[in-house]
Amino acid sequence: MLHAAEEIAQALGEDAVCYDHDVLEHHGHSDWSTSNSANRAVAVVYPKSTEDVSTIARICHRRNVPMVPFGAGSSVEGSFSQPLSGICIDFSYMDKIVAFHPDDMDVVVQPGLNWVDLNNHIASSGLFAPMDPSPTATVGGMVSTNCSGTNAFRYGTMKDWVLNLTVVLADGTVIKTRRRPRKTSAGYNLTSLFVGAEGTLGIITEATLKLAPIPQSTSVAVVPFPTIHSAAAAATALIRSGIQLAALEIMDEKQMEILNAHGSPTVRKRHWAEQPTLFLKFSGTAEAVQSDVSRVSAIIHDLTQGRAPFHFARTKQEEHDLWAARKESLFTMTSIRPAGFEMWSTDVAVPVSRLAEIIDWSKAECGKLGIFASVIGHVGDGNFHVAMMYDPRDKEQAAAVGRCVHEMMDKALEMEGTVSGEHAIGIGKKACLRDELGEETIGVMRSLKRAVDPKGVMNPGKVFD
Ligand SMILES: Cc1cc2nc3c(=O)[nH]c(=O)nc-3n(C[C@H](O)[C@H](O)[C@H](O)COP(=O)(O)OP(=O)(O)OC[C@H]3O[C@@H](n4cnc5c(N)ncnc54)[C@H](O)[C@@H]3O)c2cc1C
């Protein structure tokens, strides 16, 4: 592995390779992640072009050295960890917009580009890339986890926004999955093969992304409910109403308590009802937003006999402040984590008709553990997270949390759901993926993996063994 790193330094320059302990640590471990591995890469390398990546791959392939791509390191299932060590490939210097085609509503970017920077850069064109995972995330990582976020209810997930990819295969071969039209039925859909592959099939060095028009008008409403069941049931009714909301999110009473006690000054401008709360975002023309707000308000009024107050933002500032509560919730929650404690966050998704039932069930099961546990999520997509804080030194507690998480995933599978709505599989959920899909389906994935990476050097130990 060290010989490979030295050879990469000879080919790309000494500056392109780093052995610094802190840098390796940062690239091999994440406090956000539920799963981490003990090993670290021997070096982090910094390519500047597709050709550089191809050179790195050729060297590692010849020497049978694992390659692990790294974007911003914000994924939460250990997808970028290095259980078999190897070379970590960081795309910090591949963060450019290669070509912007506003008339075609697409943009060609390098994988290290951060999505917030992209949207700031193109904002004046009236277009944006809609996926919104961690504000730090990069396009390469977002494509490779098939990420989503609060906007997925309206815009779908990352897979719906990728037109083509340039990919360096394990042996250094460079391919482009397709050209740039909005549609094609030419050949196998190789773009989708690499979306969500977590860097196990190849290294993305360029992506063409579709863009959406920035909505003319937006608004936000929050609605507290007496119980988590009534909030989830209202969410299901809103989804079925066909009203095209921009986002539909849920936070339980624990999250709301934390906002009041520990939220940022923006969030604490108001006192939040400490009840399960739906956060709704509206977007479209001004008239459409007004009509959607009235329709949603009427549905909620009918469902709750007027007992769930509907707070709707009257100014842009208020809209920003209300939504900040949802966007900052994860940061606020982790800020109160006691020293030495860890957070285990689940990510199940079920068909929407089963949503209220599984959220209810999950709350009851976590409640029995006697630890901090809280539900938050993208209920519009039937996807939610339960965040549990526990002390890993307390073996009994850690085991109980692990059991609870697995029971929750089993329950989701019983309901024809998934064990990973948006956080991918990484090292943490390999066994659960087998439960979800079965050996035969995993067998086909293995065959595909062998076809493009027969030596198994691309991000080994992830998705399946
Ligand atoms: C505060 C916070 C909030 C979050 N909210 C959401 C959310 O709402 N929705 C959501 O979906 N996720 C969310 N996430 C998870 C995370 O942001 C996403 O998984 C994101 O897509 C990861 O991007 P990244 O650049 O950090 O990738 P990394 O974590 O660096 O890598 C992720 C995977 O992609 C691979 N990879 C990276 N670059 C490449 C490349 N160029 N070629 C091939 N493979 C590559 C890596 O090897 C790894 O397997 C959140 C995380 C945090 C910390």
Side-chain angles (χ1 to χ4, degrees):
M1 291 180 195
L2 284 167
H3 286 305
E6 282 161 18
E7 205 181 327
I8 292 167
Q10 279 160 20
L12 268 54
E14 296 293 331
D15 289 353
V17 181
C18 178
Y19 304 96
D20 183 274
H21 172 268
D22 290 347
V23 173
L24 294 179
E25 196 57 26
H26 166 70
H27 286 77
H29 176 93
S30 163
D31 279 344
W32 291 106
S33 182
T34 307
S35 316
N36 281 293
S37 67
N39 274 342
R40 299 285 177 268
V42 296
V44 178
V45 300
Y46 297 89
K48 293 196 170 117
S49 64
T50 298
E51 292 68 39
D52 284 358
V53 176
S54 174
T55 303
I56 294 166
R58 273 200 313 275
I59 294 168
C60 289
H61 189 258
R62 180 163 34 80
R63 293 178 175 276
N64 303 319
V65 169
M67 290 172 267
V68 184
F70 182 94
S74 71
S75 57
V76 293
E77 290 297 342
S79 304
F80 64 84
S81 63
Q82 301 109 28
L84 302 172
S85 188
I87 299 285
C88 173
I89 309 172
D90 181 308
F91 295 95
S92 300
Y93 295 116
M94 290 180 69
D95 62 347
K96 311 285 177 304
I97 294 177
V98 178
F100 179 34
H101 308 114
D103 292 342
D104 296 327
M105 296 170 68
D106 70 47
V107 65
V108 185
V109 301
Q110 290 186 311
L113 182 65
N114 167 252
W115 67 272
V116 180
D117 289 345
L118 168 64
N119 282 341
N120 287 338
H121 194 86
I122 62 174
S124 60
S125 69
L127 296 170
F128 80 121
M131 291 307 101
D132 60 338
S134 163
T136 57
T138 62
V139 169
M142 292 163 66
V143 172
S144 301
T145 53
N146 188 19
C147 78
S148 42
T150 62
N151 287 338
F153 183 49
R154 172 71 169 258
Y155 294 99
T157 63
M158 194 69 199
K159 69 179 186 326
D160 303 309
W161 296 90
V162 185
L163 282 177
N164 67 45
L165 295 170
T166 300
V167 180
V168 172
L169 298 179
D171 64 359
T173 307
V174 181
I175 64 161
K176 186 159 177 171
T177 55
R178 48 166 292 210
R179 297 197 180 199
R180 211 165 47 83
R182 290 237 146 186
K183 61 186 277 193
T184 172
S185 58
Y188 291 178
N189 186 354
L190 292 187
T191 310
S192 277
L193 184 64
F194 293 99
V195 176
E198 302 183 47
T200 61
L201 298 180
I203 307 161
I204 297 161
T205 58
E206 217 168 85
T208 304
L209 305 180
K210 281 197 284 190
L211 299 169
I214 297 173
Q216 193 189 84
S217 182
T218 54
S219 192
V220 165
V222 293
V223 195
F225 287 82
T227 61
I228 195 86
H229 187 87
S230 55
T236 310
L238 290 174
I239 297 163
R240 292 212 50 197
S241 73
I243 298 169
Q244 188 56 80
L245 291 168
L248 177 54
E249 301 282 310
I250 196 167
M251 284 165 59
D252 72 359
E253 68 285 358
K254 291 263 182 262
Q255 289 288 331
M256 305 313 289
E257 279 168 38
I258 294 174
L259 292 185
N260 282 333
H262 306 281
S264 68
T266 302
V267 168
R268 276 191 288 147
K269 277 185 198 167
R270 57 182 289 137
H271 182 82
W272 300 84
E274 294 179 353
Q275 289 170 244
T277 300
L278 287 184
F279 284 71
L280 303 99
K281 198 188 252 185
F282 304 85
S283 72
T285 59
E287 301 76 50
V289 167
Q290 213 163 32
S291 146
D292 287 350
V293 168
S294 316
R295 286 174 67 201
V296 168
S297 158
I299 291 173
I300 289 175
H301 187 274
D302 286 354
L303 276 174
T304 62
Q305 284 86 45
R307 284 200 297 271
F310 186 85
H311 301 290
F312 147 68
R314 304 203 177 273
T315 62
K316 281 284 145 202
Q317 185 60 49
E318 220 185 320
E319 178 184 330
H320 170 267
D321 295 350
L322 288 178
W323 201 249
R326 169 62 189 93
K327 285 307 274 183
E328 291 172 16
S329 58
L330 200 51
F331 295 103
T332 314
M333 193 162 46
T334 43
S335 73
I336 61 157
R337 181 169 53 180
F341 273 52
E342 287 186 2
M343 195 160 76
W344 199 327
S345 177
T346 66
D347 172 34
V348 299
V350 293
V352 285
S353 63
R354 309 298 299 273
L355 189 63
E357 192 185 335
I358 193 165
I359 292 186
D360 236 6
W361 184 89
S362 305
K363 282 281 289 178
E365 289 304 304
C366 300
K368 293 178 193 163
L369 298 177
I371 56 170
F372 174 91
S374 170
V375 169
I376 187 166
H378 314 300
V379 276
D381 305 316
N383 179 203
F384 69 98
H385 311 303
V386 181
M388 286 175 264
M389 278 183 211
Y390 68 100
D391 185 350
R393 294 157 297 194
D394 181 341
K395 297 295 168 216
E396 219 171 284
Q397 191 178 71
V401 170
R403 268 197 308 279
C404 183
V405 169
H406 282 98
E407 280 164 17
M408 220 177 289
M409 290 193 278
D410 288 346
K411 191 80 181 168
L413 294 183
E414 239 175 78
M415 296 178 171
E416 293 184 81
T418 176
V419 297
S420 189
E422 56 177 15
H423 291 164
I425 297 298
I427 50 176
K429 288 188 172 170
K430 287 188 282 191
C432 315
L433 183 68
R434 207 172 46 238
D435 295 343
E436 177 168 335
L437 299 177
E439 250 332 307
E440 285 76 15
T441 305
I442 302 277
V444 175
M445 291 188 185
R446 263 189 237 284
S447 305
L448 290 168
K449 164 86 174 162
R450 278 195 206 106
V452 289
D453 178 20
K455 287 187 165 190
V457 285
M458 276 312 316
N459 201 4
K462 313 297 165 56
V463 186
F464 44 76
D465 286 317

